[in-house]
Amino acid sequence: MDEISVVTPATGLRHHRLLLGLAGGSLVLGLVAGGGTAYALETRASVAPVTATGESLRGASFFPPAFGRSGSTGSSGSADAVQAPAVAASADQQVGMVTIDTVLSYQGAAAAGTGMILSADGLVLTNNHVVEGSTSIQATDETTGQTYVAKVVGTDATHDVALLQLQDASDLTPVTLDNDNGVSTGDTVTAVGNAQGTGSLVAAAGTVLATDQSMTATSDAGTNPENLTGLIEFSAAVVGGDSGGALVDSEGEVVGMTTAASSAQSTVTAFAIDISDALAIAIQIEQGVDNADIVQGYPPFLGVSLAPDGSSTLAGVVQDTPAQSAGLAAGDTITTVDGTAVASASELSAAIAAHQPGDRLALTWSALDGTSSSATVTLIEGPAA
């Protein structure tokens, strides 16, 4: 495997929500909440504004497919009165870019986004939310038209970064990364992405409004807040599906990864992760780092949903999973894992998280009528974390 050529020191990492092989209910660990078709990100809405370098940003949200966005830009800059519409990406702008299609089979859903080729053998950088919850991923090199099966190398949900590996890929042309210290307020930039998941790249020209910005976004239900920092704030007509795409400067070099947006009236204010920050995490993933933020590969998956009371009682069992094969059912309460007692959802989650897909677990549980049962299950790969 080719190594990522740019080495940037990683900055402080924070704890993130792991997907640990449980699903549904009020505790979602193994299935991403929601269903239907989404493009790139499930809808997320901003919480209280976050102050960054003296400025307050409101309305930050991850891209829904075609919903209106609300909020205001940071006072560090103002969006253009009229934004230029996105146009078809040029041949040069398509070099090193992939369109991504995912299937979320446990949700009966599909999603689409964008990614950037980092190495000739097919390492691809994208947002975590583009692949989160997916059970299969395909990526198309927009220069050659070749479609590849993609596997997750690792994810960092805290910083919204994922690294993919295209299977059986070789001699690919990577994107051109910035080598002259990024962008500044007022610089011209262009966001290149798979707008609305059509599979055709478009380019949305715009202007940098501010750098080193922060925003906090949540899920549709107002849960799982994520604070992203060090962002490039820019004005451009980005939409759902552009997530994971390249933000390029006037020289055509990648300075950021389009990640989220808000809008005020007819204009869109977007946010991109600085490419140096995204690469720092991608390099850690490639090097095998596995910590509170980074999950290597796919998480172990049992396939149960938990009751909302925080106990180890099951609200349901996902079809075609180890839990169903073992005979577990809604209302059962798991009492031990490998001989160790568990009495809460957190204890059960921790017990599963300590394993890898393919590991065998001895489970004991009690049914609603008080009868006790036991079985040994083999954990499978869960949806991407």
Side-chain angles (χ1 to χ4, degrees):
M1 176 186 297
D2 294 347
E3 292 186 353
I4 302 171
S5 58
V6 177
V7 178
T8 307
T11 54
L13 301 175
R14 298 180 295 278
H15 180 71
H16 84 294
R17 47 190 169 82
L18 298 174
L19 302 180
L20 302 176
L22 309 174
S26 62
L27 178 64
V28 182
L29 298 169
L31 289 180
V32 178
T37 300
Y39 286 101
L41 288 173
E42 60 270 13
T43 309
R44 302 191 185 190
S46 69
V47 293
V50 177
T51 300
T53 60
E55 305 298 343
S56 179
L57 303 180
R58 295 178 182 268
S61 65
F62 296 111
F63 301 120
F67 299 106
R69 303 176 184 86
S70 62
S72 62
T73 65
S75 56
S76 52
S78 59
D80 299 333
V82 178
Q83 288 179 324
V87 298
S90 68
D92 287 344
Q93 289 170 331
Q94 294 186 53
V95 173
M97 300 294 296
V98 299
T99 54
I100 295 174
D101 292 290
T102 67
V103 174
L104 295 77
S105 60
Y106 293 119
Q107 299 180 51
T114 317
M116 295 176 274
I117 298 171
L118 297 181
S119 68
D121 69 344
L123 283 173
V124 169
L125 177 70
T126 189
N127 286 130
N128 177 71
H129 70 253
V130 171
V131 298
E132 185 176 15
S134 64
T135 50
S136 67
I137 307 169
Q138 287 191 326
T140 300
D141 182 344
E142 289 301 313
T143 299
T144 65
Q146 178 69 41
T147 297
Y148 300 88
V149 172
K151 296 292 186 182
V152 173
V153 179
T155 57
D156 182 340
T158 301
H159 302 94
D160 206 2
V161 172
L163 186 65
L164 310 180
Q165 175 66 60
L166 306 187
Q167 302 298 288
D168 302 319
S170 62
D171 300 323
L172 304 185
T173 303
V175 292
T176 301
L177 301 173
D178 176 66
N179 59 7
D180 53 7
N181 302 316
V183 289
S184 301
T185 301
D187 285 356
T188 298
V189 289
T190 302
V192 181
N194 181 19
Q196 298 293 2
T198 63
S200 298
L201 292 175
V202 300
T207 305
V208 174
L209 302 178
T211 58
D212 196 25
Q213 297 298 288
S214 298
M215 68 155 190
T216 299
T218 68
S219 67
D220 283 339
T223 59
N224 297 324
E226 292 180 352
N227 180 33
L228 299 178
T229 62
L231 302 174
I232 300 168
E233 180 187 357
F234 64 101
S235 172
V238 297
V239 297
D242 287 331
S243 293
L247 182 69
V248 300
D249 62 14
S250 58
E251 299 175 314
E253 297 175 342
V254 178
V255 294
M257 177 168 63
T258 305
T259 298
S262 62
S263 71
Q265 299 178 353
S266 61
T267 64
V268 176
T269 298
F271 301 90
I273 299 171
D274 191 290
I275 194 61
S276 63
D277 293 336
L279 286 173
I281 295 169
I283 289 165
Q284 287 191 322
I285 292 172
E286 186 195 21
Q287 292 175 341
V289 172
D290 194 343
N291 57 26
D293 292 301
I294 294 173
V295 176
Q296 291 289 331
Y298 293 85
F301 193 63
L302 177 60
V304 297
S305 59
L306 296 175
D309 59 4
S311 70
S312 58
T313 298
L314 308 185
V317 173
V318 181
Q319 289 186 346
D320 301 321
T321 62
Q324 184 186 47
S325 298
L328 285 160
D332 291 346
T333 299
I334 296 177
T335 54
T336 70
V337 176
D338 282 341
T340 300
V342 294
S344 66
S346 60
E347 290 176 353
L348 178 57
S349 299
I352 295 172
H355 291 269
Q356 299 295 325
D359 287 354
R360 291 169 62 83
L361 292 183
L363 302 178
T364 302
W365 65 91
S366 59
L368 287 172
D369 61 6
T371 59
S372 180
S373 302
S374 61
T376 298
V377 301
T378 301
L379 297 172
I380 61 175
E381 286 187 346

